[in-house]
Amino acid sequence: NKIGDEGCGALASALQSPNAKLTILNLSANLISDVGASLLASSLENNTSLLHIDVRGYFGISTPVKARIHALVQLSRDGVTDVPRDLVAKLPDELLQQVSFDTYEAEMQCGEEADNW
């Protein structure tokens, strides 16, 4: 795939639709930077249907943006409705930079879950 940042913009627009029903999105090994990933993260503020995103192979995306994406998808997966999703988007990068999870392990685990669906 060669989705890139421009493709992420199109996906983000589709995910913002109230009619969006996509539950799994595999964007592994695409050339996506913080620009495209930030567009996706913003679209997830209003999307509760996406339950899994495969982010393996994201080499141009910073830890704060990855953390935002993972947090927003996890809210949907857990069915959390009492937390304003825009709060996740407003968390400062400095705080998200300190997220202490093994990104590679978390991404691989997400990928394995998708393989089982």
Side-chain angles (χ1 to χ4, degrees), residues 99-116:
V99 172
S100 60
F101 65 91
D102 183 339
T103 304
Y104 179 75
E105 182 180 323
E107 290 172 354
M108 292 303 291
Q109 181 179 13
C110 287
E112 290 169 4
E113 286 175 12
D115 292 343
N116 293 328

